């Protein structure tokens, strides 16, 4: 119902910058929040950053990236960007775009949508 297209992943030197972009399509009006998660091998998937779709408010960041990352949403409210600066090797992970959606069906139902993941590799 929601499709997520991710771009911007790749290889970057430590200390460099990278911008991840996620464009949502489909039933985008149902999306409440959008964000990025990441998962490194052997580690739990963790929230990197999230933002409210309607207002662009409540940007939330993992402690590990605070001060280094900025999440924003564009004027269409369908695309988020995650500007990542001062990247560290420990930022290496598969990054997944994520949306939380709510639809008024009966009592209502909510669901999560995940992108396919994009690899971010930070070289030392």
């Amino acid at each position: 119902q929601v499709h997520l297209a991710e771009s911007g992943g790749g290889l970057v030197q430590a200390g460099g910058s990278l911008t991840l972009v996620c464009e949502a399509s489909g039933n985008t009006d149902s999306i409440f929040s959008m964000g990025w998660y990441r998962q490194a091998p052997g580690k739990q998937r963790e929230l990197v950053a999230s933002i409210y779709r309607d207002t662009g408010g409540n940007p939330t960041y993992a402690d590990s990236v605070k001060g280094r990352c900025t999440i924003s949403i564009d004027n269409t409210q369908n695309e988020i960007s995650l500007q990542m600066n001062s990247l560290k090797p420990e930022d290496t992970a598969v990054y997944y775009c994520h949306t939380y959606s709510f639809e008024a069906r009966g009592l209502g139902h909510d669901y999560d949508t995940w992108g396919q993941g994009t690899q971010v590799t930070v070289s030392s």
Side-chain angles (χ1 to χ4, degrees):
Q1 199 162 3
V2 174
H3 175 73
L4 303 175
E6 302 158 320
S7 62
L11 176 66
V12 65
Q13 293 265 35
S17 298
L18 205 61
T19 299
L20 303 181
V21 176
C22 178
E23 183 170 2
S25 59
N27 193 10
T28 57
D29 288 340
S30 69
I31 298 173
F32 178 74
S33 63
M34 302 181 67
W36 287 92
Y37 288 70
R38 68 185 180 187
Q39 188 166 24
K43 294 187 176 181
Q44 301 267 100
R45 185 172 297 188
E46 65 172 350
L47 173 71
V48 180
S50 65
I51 194 168
Y52 288 167
R53 176 180 179 267
D54 58 346
T55 64
N58 195 37
T60 301
Y61 302 94
D63 288 341
S64 59
V65 304
K66 282 181 179 176
R68 301 189 295 119
C69 293
T70 302
I71 191 168
S72 60
I73 191 163
D74 76 347
N75 292 333
T76 72
Q77 298 182 306
N78 294 329
E79 182 180 281
I80 56 168
S81 297
L82 180 67
Q83 176 71 44
M84 306 171 66
N85 303 316
S86 302
L87 286 164
K88 307 172 181 178
E90 49 263 46
D91 293 318
T92 296
V94 177
Y95 285 68
Y96 297 90
C97 185
H98 166 265
T99 62
Y100 172 75
S101 300
F102 177 83
E103 297 181 4
R105 301 287 188 274
L107 296 177
H109 77 97
D110 55 1
Y111 57 94
D112 299 285
T113 302
W114 295 93
Q116 82 282 359
T118 184
Q119 178 72 45
V120 171
T121 301
V122 184
S123 62
S124 58

